Amino acid sequence: MPRLLIVHHTPSPAMHDLFEAVVAGANDPEVAGVEVVRVPALSATASDVLAADGFVLGTPVNIGYVSGALKHFFDTVYYPCLDATRGRPFGAYVHGNQGTEGAVKAIRDITTGLGWAPVGETVSITGAPDRAARERCYELGGVVAATIM
């Protein structure tokens, strides 16, 4: 069964709302036969990444960059997973109260180095998540899951 790994740093109610929307989308009834695995960024390991067929990454924007937790995840898995995960699909979502450009760029740069294949643009949310933001995250989860079916 294909496995979708959702690596997230969810320290706030806003991030929790977006995370839950991603999980719901990945588990949409139309996306059958995909195991959805949720692992906090500080706990995710190279073994988790190697066992997955695709990824969704979620992070708050801290001082214009990805959270330390997601950066730690990338630092931990980068070299052990570099060759073995090349070409695997991924999506990402970020949330900040101001500009998110630095975090979006960091995710793009690191995943490009890993050779991961984006399924679309990073979902970038500023301010309080509204219905449209949750819908975009739901769609992100569903699209990445459907990609690995």
Side-chain angles (χ1 to χ4, degrees), residues 21-131:
V22 167
V23 171
N27 285 303
D28 185 286
E30 291 187 31
V31 182
V34 174
E35 178 185 8
V36 178
V37 178
R38 304 173 279 182
V39 182
L42 288 174
S43 301
T45 67
S47 294
D48 294 321
V49 174
L50 292 168
D53 300 292
F55 317 100
V56 175
L57 311 168
T59 183
V61 178
N62 294 338
I63 314 171
Y65 196 68
V66 297
S67 68
L70 190 65
K71 179 65 169 75
H72 172 78
F73 162 74
F74 281 132
D75 289 345
T76 302
V77 307
Y78 192 89
Y79 286 108
C81 299
L82 184 58
D83 293 324
T85 61
R86 196 166 295 280
R88 292 188 190 171
F90 84 97
Y93 63 101
V94 301
H95 173 267
N97 290 322
Q98 296 179 11
T100 60
E101 301 84 8
V104 171
K105 181 183 182 316
I107 290 170
R108 182 182 61 239
D109 291 350
I110 295 166
T111 55
T112 296
L114 284 163
W116 292 358
V119 299
E121 296 292 319
T122 295
V123 175
S124 178
I125 309 296
T126 54
D130 58 10
R131 182 177 180 194

